[in-house]
Every structure is written in C-alpha cells, then in structure tokens.
Amino acid sequence: ATGANGALVEQWRREDQARQEAAAVHRTRAAALAMSRDLTALADLDITELQEGVTATAVDYLASPPGPMMDRAHTLRGEAFERLRSGHHRPQDRSDLYVTAGRLSGVLSYALLDMGDSDEALEHATAAGRCAEFAGDAELAAWVAGTKSLIARFQGDYGRALEYVRDGYQWVGAGHGTGEARLRCGEAQCLANLGDSRAANAALDAAEDAREGIRRPDSLGGLFGFSQAKQSYYAGSSLIWLQGGHDAERAAREAVAAIDAWQTGPADERSLDDERLAHIYLATARVQLDDVEGAADAIGPVLSLPLEDQISWIVKRADRLAGMLSAPRYAGNRTAVETVEAINALAA
C-alpha cells in the first residue's frame, strides 16, 4: 500500500532485534547485580578448575568488548557462587573460591564501568572486596581499592577517589606485585584533577620507585596486572588535567611510551581500550601544547572505531578534546573544525 517494497518491515525487524538484544543485556545485568548483592551479604564463602577460566577472562578482557566479558564472568561466577553456597568443595579450596568469586566480581565491575554504569560497577567492586576480606587476600584487596578509586574518578568525585587509594595502601607489601604502583598512579590522577601538579608528579615518581622495588610478580596478569605500558598510560591520563606546559610535555611522552609498549609488547598484555584512550590523551596533551595537527594525527585511529568498541571512557574523553578544539582561538583552523566534527559523529 505504501510502495515501500518491504523497507518498513525490514526497519521493524532491525529495531525488534535491537530491542531483544537490549532486553537480554538487561537480564544479564540484573542477574549479575543480584548475585553481587548476595556475595556482599554472604558471611561465608571457595576452586581450581574455575581458576583457568578466570585467568583466561582476565587476559581476554584487555582485547575484548565489555559485553561478552560480562556474560562470561557472570556464568563463571555463578558456578563459583553455587559451590560456595552448597558447600560442594574441599575445605582447603574455600579461600581459592573466595578469590575466584572476587576476581570475577572485579571483571563485572570493569565491564559495567566500561558500559557506563558506575553505580552497578561499584556494587560489583564491593562484592569483590568482601570476597578478598573472606579469603584474606591482600593483593585482591589492594586491586579492589584501586578499582573503587577508578569508579569514583569516573563519577568525578576525586576526594572520595583519593580516600579509596590511601585506604588501599594498607594492603600492599614491600615488593609484592604491582599493587602499590597502581595505587600511586591512581593517586596521581586524583591529585592532577584536584589541580596539584607537584603532588601529582611526585606520586608518579613514587610509582616508578614502587615498580623498581618489585620482588614478587602479580599472581594474575591481564586485567589484574599493571604493566609498564599501563603505568605510562596512567601518567599521561593524569597530567592532561593540569595546565599544560611541562605537565603536557610529560603527558605526551608517557602516552607515546604506552602506545609503543602495547604495540610492540606481548599480546596478552595489550589493552586495546587503554591503547585507544592513550591516543586521546596524546591528542589532548598536544592541544595543550598548541599542536592541533599533531592532535588530529593522534586521535585518527580512534575515529574509525566500530560502535561495539566505543566504550564509555572513549566517548567521555573524546568529548573533552572536542571542547578544547572548539575554543575561539581555533575557529579558523580547518583541522580543528574537522576533528571536532569527526568526534561529534563518533559520539552520535
């Protein structure tokens, strides 16, 4: 009757499929959140066959979209949770099950944060913290403190983020893993956002000292490790919040170092989302140094990303860059205008 040749039906089909997919994601999120609340309230919690799944998930997360990782972590944690609740485990496995459930809660926390829901992310992180407490695992507890600080920074509450970091220092031991270096870098991000250049740079220097003092590696890598590339990434993402000058110069150097390290280093340590964000931080530092052409070159790889790879952090940080390039001083700069248009198209 309309002469649409099936176009209307096809449009309905696509939208109906999108609705079904959104409903499936909502069901998984709701079920995962309910389990996090149960784990948080559980006063008693423990497995070896699950640990391989946790290890693979921690590594795979660095190069995978958050949605599939959320599904996998929820499924694995369900098995760990059932064994803990039913008591179907050996007594000596109890602590390992706590750690397993805690790490999978940590994966869910990161996934929900990458999907833009910081409130649900915090509940999963709280569950991870309770598991660390029941297991007596200081390494996981320090990681949770750093993750809670990350969530608070995402929410823009840098005072609370700083409290989480400083509370986490009680869990780090001399030379035991990368926990202290991660917390020091988190502290630098807080201090930079609070406008304290000297303290932020001092915290980054302290993170370098902590890395040099490592005598025992992390018990698990991937999402739960903190590589040199990640440390450089944190340094770059901290100092771009200051007033430019020497801070912007260091931020640019650190962002370049992070990108180079990820592109040339071991594949299982490459964090694609963070590598993409490092391009945005490099572009931001270059704008602060009045290098618009260099900024456009730096963000180029991000602007062609497919929708499923555009995590919330990318849109959030690229939007700030667009605001900087929209300043009146760049009104006649064609490169600045075109880059802003491309960022706006990415967000749309």
Side-chain angles (χ1 to χ4, degrees), residues 98-184:
Y98 273 115
V99 173
T100 296
R103 284 174 172 163
L104 291 167
S105 297
V107 173
L108 285 166
S109 180
Y110 255 77
L112 267 298
L113 189 62
D114 283 343
M115 293 167 70
D117 196 321
S118 57
D119 290 333
E120 285 189 31
L122 184 59
E123 292 211 47
H124 291 308
T126 299
R130 290 302 296 268
C131 291
E133 176 187 342
F134 296 143
D137 193 295
E139 183 178 346
L140 179 57
W143 185 89
V144 169
T147 300
K148 286 185 172 181
S149 177
L150 177 66
I151 294 168
R153 297 197 298 274
F154 180 91
Q155 295 171 330
D157 190 344
Y158 298 103
R160 185 160 59 95
L162 195 56
E163 291 176 2
Y164 281 134
V165 164
R166 290 176 174 169
D167 181 64
Y169 286 135
Q170 66 179 301
W171 304 112
V172 299
H176 294 175
T178 59
E180 182 179 354
R182 180 171 182 252
L183 287 170
R184 296 287 181 192

Coordinates of all heavy atoms in Angstrom, one line a residue, residues 98-184:
Y98 N 36.8 -18.0 47.2 CA 36.6 -16.6 47.6 C 37.3 -15.7 46.5 O 36.8 -14.7 46.0 CB 37.1 -16.3 49.0 CG 36.1 -16.5 50.1 CD1 36.4 -17.5 51.0 CD2 35.0 -15.7 50.2 CE1 35.5 -17.7 52.1 CE2 34.1 -15.9 51.3 CZ 34.4 -16.9 52.2 OH 33.5 -17.1 53.2
V99 N 38.6 -16.0 46.3 CA 39.4 -15.2 45.4 C 38.8 -15.3 44.0 O 38.7 -14.3 43.3 CB 40.9 -15.7 45.4 CG1 41.7 -15.0 44.3 CG2 41.5 -15.4 46.8
T100 N 38.4 -16.5 43.6 CA 37.8 -16.7 42.2 C 36.6 -15.8 42.1 O 36.4 -15.1 41.1 CB 37.5 -18.2 42.0 OG1 38.7 -18.9 42.0 CG2 36.7 -18.4 40.7
A101 N 35.7 -15.9 43.1 CA 34.4 -15.1 43.0 C 34.7 -13.7 43.1 O 34.1 -12.8 42.4 CB 33.5 -15.5 44.2
G102 N 35.8 -13.3 43.8 CA 36.1 -11.9 43.9 C 36.7 -11.3 42.6 O 36.3 -10.2 42.2
R103 N 37.5 -12.1 42.0 CA 38.1 -11.7 40.7 C 37.0 -11.5 39.6 O 37.0 -10.6 38.8 CB 39.2 -12.6 40.3 CG 40.5 -12.4 41.1 CD 41.5 -13.4 40.7 NE 42.8 -13.1 41.4 CZ 43.8 -13.9 41.5 NH1 43.7 -15.2 41.1 NH2 45.0 -13.6 42.1
L104 N 36.1 -12.5 39.6 CA 35.0 -12.4 38.6 C 34.1 -11.3 38.9 O 33.6 -10.6 38.0 CB 34.3 -13.8 38.6 CG 35.1 -14.9 38.0 CD1 34.4 -16.3 38.3 CD2 35.3 -14.8 36.5
S105 N 33.9 -10.9 40.2 CA 33.2 -9.7 40.5 C 33.9 -8.5 40.0 O 33.3 -7.5 39.6 CB 33.0 -9.7 42.0 OG 32.2 -10.7 42.5
G106 N 35.3 -8.6 40.1 CA 36.1 -7.5 39.6 C 35.9 -7.3 38.1 O 35.9 -6.2 37.6
V107 N 35.9 -8.4 37.4 CA 35.7 -8.3 35.9 C 34.3 -7.7 35.6 O 34.2 -6.8 34.7 CB 35.8 -9.7 35.3 CG1 35.4 -9.7 33.8 CG2 37.2 -10.3 35.4
L108 N 33.3 -8.1 36.3 CA 32.0 -7.5 36.2 C 32.0 -6.0 36.5 O 31.4 -5.2 35.8 CB 31.0 -8.2 37.1 CG 30.5 -9.6 36.6 CD1 29.8 -10.3 37.7 CD2 29.6 -9.5 35.4
S109 N 32.8 -5.6 37.5 CA 32.9 -4.2 37.8 C 33.5 -3.4 36.7 O 32.9 -2.4 36.3 CB 33.7 -4.0 39.1 OG 33.8 -2.7 39.4
Y110 N 34.5 -3.9 36.1 CA 35.2 -3.2 35.0 C 34.2 -3.2 33.8 O 34.1 -2.2 33.1 CB 36.5 -3.9 34.6 CG 37.7 -3.2 35.0 CD1 38.1 -3.2 36.3 CD2 38.4 -2.4 34.1 CE1 39.3 -2.5 36.7 CE2 39.6 -1.7 34.5 CZ 40.0 -1.7 35.8 OH 41.1 -1.0 36.2
A111 N 33.5 -4.3 33.5 CA 32.6 -4.4 32.3 C 31.5 -3.3 32.5 O 31.2 -2.6 31.5 CB 32.1 -5.8 32.2
L112 N 30.9 -3.2 33.7 CA 29.8 -2.3 33.8 C 30.3 -0.8 33.8 O 29.6 0.0 33.2 CB 29.1 -2.6 35.1 CG 27.9 -3.5 35.1 CD1 26.8 -2.9 34.2 CD2 28.3 -4.9 34.5
L113 N 31.5 -0.6 34.3 CA 32.1 0.7 34.2 C 32.4 1.1 32.7 O 32.1 2.2 32.3 CB 33.4 0.8 35.0 CG 33.9 2.3 35.1 CD1 33.0 3.1 35.9 CD2 35.3 2.2 35.9
D114 N 32.9 0.1 32.0 CA 33.2 0.4 30.5 C 31.9 0.6 29.8 O 31.8 1.2 28.7 CB 34.0 -0.8 29.9 CG 35.4 -0.7 30.3 OD1 35.9 0.4 30.7 OD2 36.1 -1.7 30.2
M115 N 30.8 0.0 30.3 CA 29.5 0.2 29.7 C 28.8 1.5 30.2 O 27.7 1.8 29.7 CB 28.6 -1.0 29.9 CG 29.1 -2.3 29.2 SD 28.3 -3.8 29.8 CE 26.7 -3.7 29.1
G116 N 29.4 2.2 31.1 CA 28.9 3.5 31.5 C 28.1 3.5 32.8 O 27.6 4.6 33.1
D117 N 28.0 2.4 33.5 CA 27.1 2.3 34.7 C 28.0 2.2 35.9 O 28.4 1.1 36.4 CB 26.1 1.2 34.7 CG 25.0 1.3 35.7 OD1 25.3 1.8 36.8 OD2 23.9 1.0 35.3
S118 N 28.4 3.3 36.5 CA 29.3 3.3 37.6 C 28.7 2.8 38.9 O 29.4 2.3 39.8 CB 29.9 4.8 37.8 OG 28.9 5.7 38.0
D119 N 27.4 3.0 39.1 CA 26.7 2.6 40.3 C 26.8 1.0 40.4 O 27.1 0.5 41.4 CB 25.3 3.1 40.4 CG 25.2 4.6 40.6 OD1 26.2 5.1 41.2 OD2 24.2 5.2 40.2
E120 N 26.4 0.4 39.3 CA 26.5 -1.1 39.3 C 27.9 -1.6 39.4 O 28.2 -2.6 40.1 CB 25.8 -1.7 38.0 CG 24.3 -1.6 38.0 CD 23.7 -2.4 36.9 OE1 24.3 -3.4 36.4 OE2 22.6 -2.0 36.4
A121 N 28.8 -0.9 38.8 CA 30.2 -1.2 38.9 C 30.7 -1.2 40.3 O 31.4 -2.1 40.7 CB 31.1 -0.3 38.0
L122 N 30.3 -0.2 41.1 CA 30.7 -0.1 42.5 C 30.1 -1.3 43.3 O 30.8 -1.8 44.2 CB 30.2 1.2 43.0 CG 30.7 1.5 44.5 CD1 32.2 1.5 44.6 CD2 30.1 2.9 44.9
E123 N 28.9 -1.7 43.0 CA 28.4 -2.8 43.8 C 29.1 -4.1 43.5 O 29.4 -4.9 44.4 CB 26.9 -3.0 43.4 CG 26.0 -1.9 43.9 CD 24.6 -2.3 44.2 OE1 24.5 -3.4 45.0 OE2 23.6 -1.7 43.8
H124 N 29.5 -4.3 42.2 CA 30.3 -5.5 41.9 C 31.7 -5.4 42.6 O 32.3 -6.4 43.1 CB 30.5 -5.6 40.4 CG 29.2 -6.0 39.7 ND1 28.5 -7.1 40.1 CD2 28.6 -5.4 38.7 CE1 27.4 -7.2 39.3 NE2 27.5 -6.2 38.4
A125 N 32.3 -4.2 42.6 CA 33.6 -4.0 43.3 C 33.5 -4.2 44.8 O 34.4 -4.8 45.4 CB 34.1 -2.6 43.0
T126 N 32.4 -3.8 45.4 CA 32.1 -4.0 46.8 C 32.1 -5.5 47.1 O 32.6 -6.0 48.1 CB 30.8 -3.4 47.3 OG1 31.0 -1.9 47.1 CG2 30.6 -3.6 48.7
A127 N 31.4 -6.3 46.2 CA 31.3 -7.7 46.3 C 32.7 -8.3 46.3 O 33.1 -9.2 47.0 CB 30.4 -8.3 45.3
A128 N 33.6 -7.8 45.3 CA 34.9 -8.3 45.2 C 35.7 -8.0 46.5 O 36.5 -8.9 46.9 CB 35.6 -7.6 44.0
G129 N 35.5 -6.9 47.1 CA 36.2 -6.5 48.3 C 35.8 -7.5 49.5 O 36.7 -7.8 50.3
R130 N 34.5 -7.8 49.5 CA 34.1 -8.8 50.6 C 34.8 -10.1 50.4 O 35.2 -10.8 51.3 CB 32.6 -8.9 50.6 CG 31.8 -7.7 51.1 CD 32.3 -7.3 52.5 NE 31.9 -8.3 53.5 CZ 30.8 -8.3 54.2 NH1 29.9 -7.4 54.0 NH2 30.6 -9.3 55.0
C131 N 34.8 -10.5 49.1 CA 35.5 -11.8 48.8 C 37.0 -11.8 49.2 O 37.5 -12.7 49.8 CB 35.3 -12.2 47.4 SG 33.7 -12.6 46.8
A132 N 37.6 -10.7 48.9 CA 39.0 -10.5 49.3 C 39.2 -10.6 50.8 O 40.1 -11.2 51.4 CB 39.6 -9.2 48.8
E133 N 38.2 -10.0 51.5 CA 38.3 -10.0 53.0 C 38.1 -11.4 53.5 O 38.9 -11.8 54.4 CB 37.1 -9.1 53.5 CG 37.0 -9.1 55.0 CD 35.7 -8.4 55.5 OE1 35.2 -7.6 54.7 OE2 35.3 -8.6 56.6
F134 N 37.1 -12.2 53.0 CA 36.9 -13.5 53.5 C 38.1 -14.4 53.1 O 38.4 -15.4 53.9 CB 35.6 -14.1 52.9 CG 34.4 -13.3 53.3 CD1 33.4 -13.1 52.4 CD2 34.2 -12.8 54.6 CE1 32.2 -12.4 52.7 CE2 33.1 -12.1 54.9 CZ 32.1 -11.9 54.0
A135 N 38.7 -14.2 52.0 CA 39.9 -15.0 51.6 C 41.2 -14.6 52.3 O 42.1 -15.3 52.2 CB 40.0 -14.9 50.1
G136 N 41.2 -13.4 52.9 CA 42.4 -12.9 53.4 C 43.5 -12.6 52.4 O 44.7 -12.8 52.6
D137 N 43.0 -12.1 51.2 CA 43.9 -11.9 50.1 C 44.2 -10.4 49.9 O 43.4 -9.7 49.4 CB 43.3 -12.4 48.8 CG 44.2 -12.5 47.6 OD1 44.7 -11.5 47.2 OD2 44.5 -13.7 47.2
A138 N 45.4 -10.0 50.4 CA 45.8 -8.6 50.3 C 45.9 -8.1 48.9 O 45.6 -6.9 48.6 CB 47.1 -8.4 51.1
E139 N 46.4 -8.9 48.0 CA 46.6 -8.5 46.6 C 45.3 -8.1 46.0 O 45.2 -7.1 45.3 CB 47.3 -9.6 45.8 CG 47.6 -9.2 44.4 CD 48.3 -10.3 43.6 OE1 48.8 -11.3 44.3 OE2 48.4 -10.3 42.4
L140 N 44.3 -8.9 46.2 CA 42.9 -8.6 45.6 C 42.3 -7.4 46.3 O 41.7 -6.6 45.7 CB 42.0 -9.8 45.8 CG 40.6 -9.7 45.3 CD1 40.6 -9.3 43.8 CD2 39.8 -10.9 45.5
A141 N 42.6 -7.3 47.6 CA 42.0 -6.1 48.4 C 42.6 -4.8 47.8 O 41.9 -3.8 47.7 CB 42.3 -6.3 49.8
A142 N 43.9 -4.8 47.5 CA 44.6 -3.6 47.0 C 44.0 -3.3 45.6 O 43.8 -2.1 45.3 CB 46.1 -3.8 46.9
W143 N 43.8 -4.4 44.8 CA 43.2 -4.2 43.5 C 41.8 -3.6 43.6 O 41.5 -2.7 42.8 CB 43.2 -5.5 42.7 CG 42.8 -5.4 41.3 CD1 43.5 -5.1 40.2 CD2 41.4 -5.5 40.8 NE1 42.8 -5.1 39.1 CE2 41.5 -5.3 39.4 CE3 40.2 -5.7 41.4 CZ2 40.3 -5.3 38.6 CZ3 39.0 -5.7 40.6 CH2 39.1 -5.5 39.2
V144 N 41.0 -4.0 44.5 CA 39.7 -3.5 44.7 C 39.7 -2.1 45.1 O 38.9 -1.2 44.6 CB 38.9 -4.4 45.7 CG1 37.6 -3.7 46.1 CG2 38.6 -5.8 45.2
A145 N 40.6 -1.7 46.0 CA 40.7 -0.3 46.4 C 41.0 0.6 45.2 O 40.5 1.7 45.0 CB 41.8 -0.2 47.5
G146 N 42.0 0.1 44.3 CA 42.3 0.9 43.1 C 41.1 1.0 42.2 O 40.9 2.0 41.5
T147 N 40.3 -0.1 42.1 CA 39.2 -0.1 41.2 C 38.1 0.8 41.7 O 37.4 1.5 41.0 CB 38.7 -1.5 41.0 OG1 39.7 -2.3 40.5 CG2 37.5 -1.6 40.1
K148 N 37.8 0.8 43.0 CA 36.8 1.7 43.6 C 37.3 3.2 43.4 O 36.4 4.0 43.1 CB 36.7 1.4 45.1 CG 35.9 0.2 45.4 CD 35.7 0.0 46.9 CE 34.7 -1.1 47.2 NZ 34.5 -1.2 48.7
S149 N 38.6 3.4 43.5 CA 39.0 4.8 43.2 C 38.8 5.1 41.7 O 38.4 6.3 41.4 CB 40.5 4.9 43.5 OG 41.0 6.2 43.2
L150 N 39.0 4.2 40.8 CA 38.8 4.4 39.4 C 37.3 4.8 39.2 O 37.0 5.7 38.4 CB 39.1 3.1 38.6 CG 38.9 3.2 37.1 CD1 39.8 4.2 36.4 CD2 39.1 1.8 36.5
I151 N 36.4 4.0 39.8 CA 35.0 4.3 39.7 C 34.6 5.7 40.2 O 33.9 6.4 39.5 CB 34.1 3.2 40.4 CG1 34.4 1.9 39.8 CG2 32.7 3.6 40.4 CD1 33.8 0.7 40.6
A152 N 35.2 6.1 41.3 CA 34.9 7.4 41.9 C 35.5 8.5 40.9 O 34.8 9.5 40.8 CB 35.5 7.5 43.3
R153 N 36.6 8.2 40.3 CA 37.1 9.2 39.4 C 36.2 9.3 38.2 O 36.0 10.4 37.6 CB 38.6 8.8 38.9 CG 39.6 8.8 40.1 CD 41.0 8.8 39.6 NE 41.4 7.6 38.9 CZ 41.9 6.5 39.4 NH1 41.9 6.3 40.7 NH2 42.2 5.5 38.6
F154 N 35.7 8.2 37.7 CA 34.7 8.2 36.6 C 33.5 9.1 37.0 O 33.0 9.8 36.1 CB 34.3 6.8 36.3 CG 33.3 6.7 35.2 CD1 33.7 6.5 33.9 CD2 31.9 6.8 35.4 CE1 32.8 6.4 32.8 CE2 31.0 6.6 34.4 CZ 31.4 6.4 33.1
Q155 N 33.1 9.1 38.2 CA 32.0 9.9 38.7 C 32.4 11.3 39.0 O 31.5 12.1 39.3 CB 31.4 9.2 40.0 CG 30.8 7.8 39.7 CD 30.4 7.1 41.0 OE1 31.1 7.3 42.1 NE2 29.4 6.3 41.0
G156 N 33.7 11.6 38.9 CA 34.1 13.0 39.2 C 34.3 13.3 40.6 O 34.5 14.5 41.0
D157 N 34.3 12.3 41.5 CA 34.4 12.5 43.0 C 35.9 12.2 43.3 O 36.2 11.1 43.8 CB 33.5 11.7 43.7 CG 33.4 12.0 45.2 OD1 34.3 12.7 45.7 OD2 32.4 11.6 45.9
Y158 N 36.8 13.2 43.1 CA 38.2 12.9 43.3 C 38.6 12.9 44.8 O 39.6 12.2 45.1 CB 39.0 14.0 42.5 CG 38.7 13.9 41.0 CD1 37.9 14.8 40.4 CD2 39.2 12.8 40.3 CE1 37.6 14.7 39.1 CE2 38.9 12.7 38.9 CZ 38.1 13.7 38.3 OH 37.8 13.6 37.0
G159 N 37.9 13.5 45.6 CA 38.1 13.4 47.0 C 37.9 12.0 47.6 O 38.8 11.5 48.3
R160 N 36.8 11.5 47.2 CA 36.5 10.1 47.6 C 37.4 9.1 46.9 O 37.9 8.1 47.5 CB 35.0 9.7 47.3 CG 34.6 8.4 47.8 CD 33.1 8.3 47.9 NE 32.5 8.6 46.5 CZ 32.1 7.6 45.7 NH1 32.3 6.3 46.1 NH2 31.6 7.9 44.5
A161 N 37.8 9.4 45.7 CA 38.7 8.5 45.0 C 40.1 8.5 45.7 O 40.7 7.4 45.8 CB 38.9 9.0 43.5
L162 N 40.5 9.6 46.2 CA 41.8 9.7 46.9 C 41.7 8.9 48.2 O 42.6 8.3 48.6 CB 42.1 11.2 47.2 CG 43.5 11.5 47.6 CD1 44.5 11.0 46.6 CD2 43.7 13.0 47.8
E163 N 40.5 8.9 48.9 CA 40.4 8.2 50.1 C 40.5 6.7 49.8 O 41.1 5.9 50.6 CB 39.0 8.5 50.7 CG 38.9 9.9 51.3 CD 37.5 10.2 51.8 OE1 36.6 9.3 51.8 OE2 37.2 11.3 52.2
Y164 N 39.9 6.2 48.7 CA 40.0 4.8 48.4 C 41.4 4.4 48.2 O 41.9 3.3 48.6 CB 39.2 4.5 47.1 CG 37.7 4.4 47.3 CD1 36.8 5.0 46.4 CD2 37.1 3.6 48.3 CE1 35.4 4.9 46.6 CE2 35.8 3.5 48.5 CZ 34.9 4.1 47.6 OH 33.5 4.0 47.7
V165 N 42.2 5.2 47.5 CA 43.6 4.9 47.2 C 44.4 4.8 48.5 O 45.1 3.8 48.7 CB 44.2 6.0 46.3 CG1 45.7 5.9 46.3 CG2 43.7 5.8 44.8
R166 N 44.2 5.8 49.3 CA 45.0 5.8 50.5 C 44.6 4.7 51.5 O 45.5 4.2 52.2 CB 45.0 7.2 51.1 CG 45.7 8.2 50.3 CD 45.6 9.7 50.7 NE 46.5 10.5 49.9 CZ 46.5 11.8 49.9 NH1 45.6 12.5 50.7 NH2 47.3 12.5 49.2
D167 N 43.4 4.3 51.5 CA 43.0 3.2 52.3 C 43.6 1.9 51.7 O 43.9 1.0 52.5 CB 41.4 3.1 52.2 CG 40.9 1.9 53.1 OD1 41.1 1.9 54.3 OD2 40.4 0.9 52.5
G168 N 43.8 1.9 50.4 CA 44.4 0.7 49.8 C 45.8 0.4 50.1 O 46.3 -0.7 50.0
Y169 N 46.6 1.5 50.6 CA 48.0 1.3 50.8 C 48.2 0.3 52.0 O 49.3 -0.3 52.1 CB 48.6 2.6 51.2 CG 48.8 3.5 50.0 CD1 48.5 4.9 50.0 CD2 49.3 3.0 48.8 CE1 48.7 5.7 48.9 CE2 49.5 3.8 47.7 CZ 49.2 5.2 47.8 OH 49.4 6.0 46.7
Q170 N 47.2 0.1 52.8 CA 47.4 -0.9 53.9 C 47.6 -2.3 53.4 O 48.1 -3.2 54.1 CB 46.2 -0.9 54.9 CG 44.9 -1.3 54.2 CD 43.7 -1.3 55.2 OE1 43.8 -1.9 56.2 NE2 42.7 -0.5 54.9
W171 N 47.2 -2.6 52.1 CA 47.2 -3.9 51.6 C 48.4 -4.2 50.8 O 48.6 -5.4 50.3 CB 45.9 -4.2 50.7 CG 44.6 -3.9 51.5 CD1 43.8 -2.9 51.2 CD2 44.1 -4.7 52.5 NE1 42.7 -3.0 52.1 CE2 42.9 -4.1 52.9 CE3 44.6 -5.8 53.2 CZ2 42.1 -4.6 53.9 CZ3 43.8 -6.3 54.2 CH2 42.6 -5.7 54.6
V172 N 49.3 -3.3 50.5 CA 50.4 -3.5 49.7 C 51.6 -3.8 50.6 O 51.8 -3.3 51.6 CB 50.8 -2.3 48.8 CG1 49.6 -2.0 47.9 CG2 51.1 -1.1 49.6
G173 N 52.4 -4.8 50.1 CA 53.6 -5.2 50.8 C 54.8 -4.8 50.0 O 54.8 -4.7 48.8
A174 N 56.0 -4.7 50.7 CA 57.2 -4.3 50.0 C 57.6 -5.3 49.0 O 57.9 -6.5 49.3 CB 58.3 -4.2 51.1
G175 N 57.6 -4.9 47.7 CA 58.0 -5.7 46.6 C 57.0 -6.8 46.2 O 57.3 -7.6 45.4
H176 N 55.8 -6.7 46.7 CA 54.8 -7.7 46.4 C 53.8 -7.2 45.3 O 52.8 -6.6 45.5 CB 53.9 -8.1 47.6 CG 54.8 -8.8 48.7 ND1 54.2 -9.1 49.9 CD2 56.0 -9.2 48.7 CE1 55.2 -9.6 50.7 NE2 56.3 -9.7 49.9
G177 N 54.2 -7.6 44.0 CA 53.3 -7.3 42.9 C 53.3 -5.8 42.6 O 54.0 -5.0 43.1
T178 N 52.3 -5.5 41.7 CA 52.3 -4.1 41.1 C 51.2 -3.3 41.8 O 50.8 -2.2 41.4 CB 51.9 -4.1 39.6 OG1 50.7 -4.8 39.4 CG2 53.0 -4.9 38.9
G179 N 50.6 -3.8 42.9 CA 49.5 -3.1 43.6 C 49.9 -1.7 44.0 O 49.1 -0.7 43.8
E180 N 51.1 -1.5 44.6 CA 51.4 -0.2 45.0 C 51.6 0.8 43.9 O 51.2 2.0 43.9 CB 52.7 -0.2 45.9 CG 53.1 1.2 46.4 CD 54.4 1.2 47.2 OE1 54.9 0.2 47.5 OE2 54.8 2.4 47.6
A181 N 52.2 0.3 42.8 CA 52.4 1.2 41.6 C 51.1 1.6 41.1 O 50.9 2.8 40.7 CB 53.2 0.5 40.5
R182 N 50.1 0.7 41.0 CA 48.8 1.1 40.5 C 48.1 2.1 41.4 O 47.5 3.1 40.9 CB 47.9 -0.2 40.4 CG 46.5 0.0 39.9 CD 45.8 -1.3 39.6 NE 44.5 -1.1 39.1 CZ 43.4 -1.4 39.8 NH1 43.4 -1.8 41.0 NH2 42.2 -1.2 39.2
L183 N 48.2 1.9 42.7 CA 47.6 2.9 43.6 C 48.3 4.2 43.6 O 47.6 5.3 43.6 CB 47.7 2.3 45.1 CG 46.7 1.2 45.4 CD1 47.0 0.5 46.7 CD2 45.3 1.6 45.3
R184 N 49.6 4.3 43.4 CA 50.3 5.5 43.3 C 49.8 6.3 42.1 O 49.7 7.5 42.1 CB 51.8 5.3 43.3 CG 52.4 4.7 44.5 CD 52.5 5.7 45.6 NE 53.1 5.1 46.8 CZ 53.1 5.6 48.0 NH1 52.5 6.8 48.2 NH2 53.7 5.0 49.1

